[in-house]
Amino acid sequence: MKTEKSEIISFFKNIIGIKDKYALEQLGIHSRKWTLKAKRILLKENEKVSEVSFLYQQGGVVKAYYALDQEGKSRIHCFAHLPGEPVTGIANLDRSMVSLLTVEAVRDCELISTSVDCLRDLAQNCQEIALACNRMIGITAIKNMEYEKVLTSSKVEDRYRYFLEIYPDLVETVSKKDIASYLNMTPESLSRLLKNIEKEAKTN
């Protein structure tokens, strides 16, 4: 039976792709595997980040959102559901790092959470970790640019197709309200769109 430490090391080696033995040993020491229950918040917007968390297994889903105003309105910015996906937005690893988004579990999630201090030290001393962190930051930046482009220049139909392309497994998992928020439209607009798509499918 695997110990928690060996499971964590296996995760970083086989899912994240880290091969450096010293880095894997340190990640095994300074990480933990745990479960974030559905509807529980991992991080709040502007909260200091002490750990970077990754989805451990298939089945878990989180959403990340930010406040639109002081009256409690918010907007979904992204979802995560694939093993190895970071659910903490990694913009940098400095000591004053704060979360730009509130991160909440949609379904129960098994997470691997790693100390930011450990990642920062490894990134300074291990090229493989530095490259992995830079790759995650770069992928996040590209996704953000694509998302903003879709919202500002695409019709509602194309926005929904974009959601299906990016998150094909989440259509039946995430609420229509959250999908509408992510696509920057009202739930009513999304409902009308889905009815039109259904009519077109029956016609064809």
Side-chain angles (χ1 to χ4, degrees):
M1 183 176 178
K2 282 188 174 182
T3 64
E4 181 177 304
K5 180 181 174 182
S6 64
E7 284 183 293
I8 290 169
I9 289 174
S10 178
F11 168 81
F12 280 107
K13 182 178 180 179
N14 299 320
I15 303 299
I16 304 298
I18 303 301
K19 305 301 179 187
D20 185 278
K21 291 183 179 179
Y22 174 76
L24 288 171
E25 179 67 19
Q26 291 302 303
L27 290 167
I29 294 171
H30 296 285
S31 304
R32 62 189 178 109
K33 183 166 79 74
W34 61 292
T35 300
L36 178 68
K37 293 293 185 180
K39 298 184 179 180
R40 297 298 297 270
I41 289 176
L42 173 67
L43 276 170
K44 291 184 178 180
E45 189 175 349
N46 297 320
E47 188 172 272
K48 185 174 180 180
V49 177
S50 60
E51 293 180 315
V52 173
S53 298
F54 306 84
L55 284 175
Y56 177 61
Q57 288 183 329
Q58 196 80 30
V61 181
V62 303
K63 61 182 179 181
Y65 52 90
Y66 59 89
L68 284 175
D69 55 40
Q70 295 180 342
E71 297 176 1
K73 290 182 180 180
S74 61
R75 172 121 146 255
I76 303 290
H77 181 267
C78 59
F79 302 93
H81 67 294
L82 299 173
E85 275 194 277
V87 299
T88 312
I90 304 175
N92 56 63
L93 289 174
D94 64 35
R95 296 185 186 280
S96 59
M97 178 179 173
V98 298
S99 180
L100 301 177
L101 303 162
T102 295
V103 180
E104 179 181 330
V106 175
R107 282 185 171 181
D108 289 359
C109 301
E110 281 196 277
L111 300 177
I112 300 288
S113 295
T114 305
S115 158
V116 168
D117 290 337
C118 171
L119 280 178
R120 186 189 305 112
D121 290 344
L122 286 175
Q124 291 173 346
N125 298 295
C126 175
Q127 185 179 28
E128 193 175 5
I129 296 295
L131 290 172
C133 289
N134 287 337
R135 184 170 64 250
M136 284 185 282
I137 292 169
I139 289 171
T140 299
I142 291 170
K143 284 183 176 179
N144 287 343
M145 288 176 65
E146 289 178 347
Y147 172 60
E148 292 302 325
K149 183 179 179 181
V150 167
L151 288 193
T152 56
S153 62
S154 299
K155 297 177 181 178
V156 289
E157 297 90 342
D158 294 329
R159 287 188 224 167
Y160 185 67
R161 290 192 189 97
Y162 172 79
F163 174 81
L164 294 178
E165 180 182 336
I166 300 299
Y167 302 114
D169 302 326
L170 298 187
V171 180
E172 302 300 329
T173 303
V174 176
S175 72
K176 295 296 186 289
K177 180 181 177 183
D178 283 348
I179 295 174
S181 176
Y182 173 74
L183 297 176
N184 195 25
M185 62 177 75
T186 65
E188 293 76 18
S189 295
L190 178 60
S191 180
R192 285 194 298 271
L193 174 62
L194 293 177
K195 286 178 182 177
N196 290 336
I197 291 174
E198 188 177 346
K199 285 180 182 178
E200 289 178 9
K202 288 180 179 179
T203 303
N204 297 331

